[in-house]
Amino acid sequence: MTYLDDDDHVFAAARPMLLGLAYRLLGSRADAEDAVQDTWLKWRAAARDALDNPGGWLTTVCTRRCIDMMRSAHRSRVEYVGNWLPEPLPTAADDGVSLASSLTTAFLLVLERLTPKERAAYLLHEVFDVSYAETARTLQMDEVGCRKLVSRARGHVEQARVRHVTPRERQEELLAAFEAAVVGGHTGRLAALLASNVELQVDSGGKVAALRDTLRGREAVLAFVRDTLHRVGGDLVWEAPDLNGARALVLRAQDGSTLAAVSFAYDEQGAATGVYIMRNPDKLVGLA
């Protein structure tokens, strides 16, 4: 095996972790792939034979690139039309519980409330098991400050109670009830599965007609499903893939074009606390 082949093998082995980290940091598969590609270019230009820890080097470069991208994206997020939701990501049904719980829409939305460094520190240490010392070096700070950063981020995440995975049977039950309510207009079964404080958000990016405000409360969500979604539900093709580590719905037109993806958040008792509808065509490309 040549030296070049060796280097390609090292990057290829690290690439899935780098993509997973970048997606969780950025909430966009396209942006994550850009960050990993930038990391690859720096890897090809680096003096690789002088690296004691190639995997750590790659993680550091990718993380720092993502932090730069998060900071530059802040303005566009502020000016975003309506609700912003992370891009739906197809996942495997057998993903580990810990990794799956860090991919859910609800979890990624909590990360959005953290500073870029808090987000990176939490993900590196709590999700990807990077030591405090290595995390601190990646973020160019001392280890004491890094521990405080992780602790602060952990507090926000734990308070939101989003690091758990609801049993698949419960997820399937909610998907069936949601589809029945949209297609048939009968919301009784769905009502029994929604938390009283459930919220519904739609991300259209201002590119298609869609609800821009967040709906709060069981009755408001049920009324929207019954009075608005029911009008078009019967004409759609329904699929139920795994997205972001959980069961979800993908709605397509009769010609096969993707119209929406629907995912859910649950409390620890299995009641749905969030309904997230992706309508932004740019973020549905990966589901075609």
Side-chain angles (χ1 to χ4, degrees):
M1 181 178 287
T2 66
Y3 181 75
L4 179 60
D5 289 336
D6 234 5
D7 288 343
D8 289 343
H9 177 74
V10 169
F11 185 85
R15 191 173 187 276
M17 179 271 185
L18 298 178
L19 272 173
L21 172 63
Y23 173 78
R24 288 168 173 83
L25 285 168
L26 301 169
S28 163
R29 179 164 52 179
D31 289 345
E33 289 173 347
D34 287 345
V36 173
Q37 178 64 18
D38 290 344
T39 303
W40 161 252
L41 294 176
K42 290 188 177 182
W43 169 251
R44 297 301 300 158
R48 297 178 298 281
D49 55 347
L51 299 178
D52 294 330
N53 181 5
W57 186 93
L58 288 168
T59 299
T60 294
V61 170
C62 186
T63 301
R64 291 178 182 175
R65 177 64 184 127
C66 287
I67 289 174
D68 289 342
M69 292 173 71
M70 282 188 281
R71 288 170 173 161
S72 64
H74 176 71
R75 180 181 177 86
S76 62
R77 292 283 173 86
V78 170
E79 297 175 348
Y80 198 81
V81 177
N83 290 301
W84 179 92
L85 297 173
E87 179 183 349
L89 181 72
T91 50
D94 58 353
D95 283 342
V97 171
S98 177
L99 287 177
S101 71
S102 67
L103 278 172
T104 65
T105 301
F107 174 77
L108 295 176
L109 288 175
V110 170
L111 292 186
E112 279 289 307
R113 304 172 197 165
L114 307 180
T115 67
K117 275 197 170 182
E118 284 176 338
R119 199 180 315 180
Y122 180 87
L123 287 170
L124 287 171
H125 184 72
E126 297 291 303
V127 176
F128 292 97
D129 296 322
V130 178
S131 69
Y132 278 116
E134 186 65 27
T135 299
R137 283 193 291 272
T138 294
L139 299 179
Q140 298 175 295
M141 60 190 305
D142 63 79
E143 187 171 337
V144 173
C146 180
R147 287 176 179 271
K148 291 180 180 178
L149 204 63
V150 172
S151 177
R152 187 160 62 243
R154 187 191 301 122
H156 287 295
V157 173
E158 290 179 352
Q159 185 177 23
R161 297 181 178 180
V162 290
R163 284 300 305 272
H164 65 275
V165 175
T166 302
R168 290 180 68 83
E169 295 79 5
R170 184 67 165 185
Q171 297 179 41
E172 295 281 4
E173 186 180 3
L174 178 63
L175 263 61
F178 186 84
E179 181 177 352
V182 173
V183 174
H186 307 295
T187 58
R189 184 179 172 195
L190 179 62
L193 299 175
L194 299 181
S196 61
N197 62 342
V198 64
E199 295 186 355
L200 183 147
Q201 298 180 47
V202 182
D203 180 340
S204 70
K207 299 182 178 182
V208 295
L211 180 74
R212 293 188 180 183
D213 297 325
T214 298
L215 293 181
R216 295 181 171 86
R218 183 188 293 126
E219 293 307 316
V221 170
L222 291 173
F224 179 74
V225 171
R226 181 182 60 248
D227 301 335
T228 302
L229 299 185
H230 173 52
R231 297 175 186 172
V232 296
D235 297 326
L236 304 178
V237 177
W238 294 71
E239 299 176 4
D242 278 66
L243 300 178
N244 295 84
R247 301 293 284 154
L249 293 167
V250 172
L251 283 58
R252 304 188 193 277
Q254 294 296 327
D255 63 3
S257 59
T258 307
L259 300 178
V262 186
S263 58
F264 303 89
Y266 304 83
D267 62 22
E268 293 170 334
Q269 287 71 48
T273 57
V275 181
Y276 308 111
I277 303 177
M278 177 57 66
R279 291 274 290 128
N280 187 334
D282 293 342
K283 296 183 181 182
L284 294 172
V285 172
L287 304 180

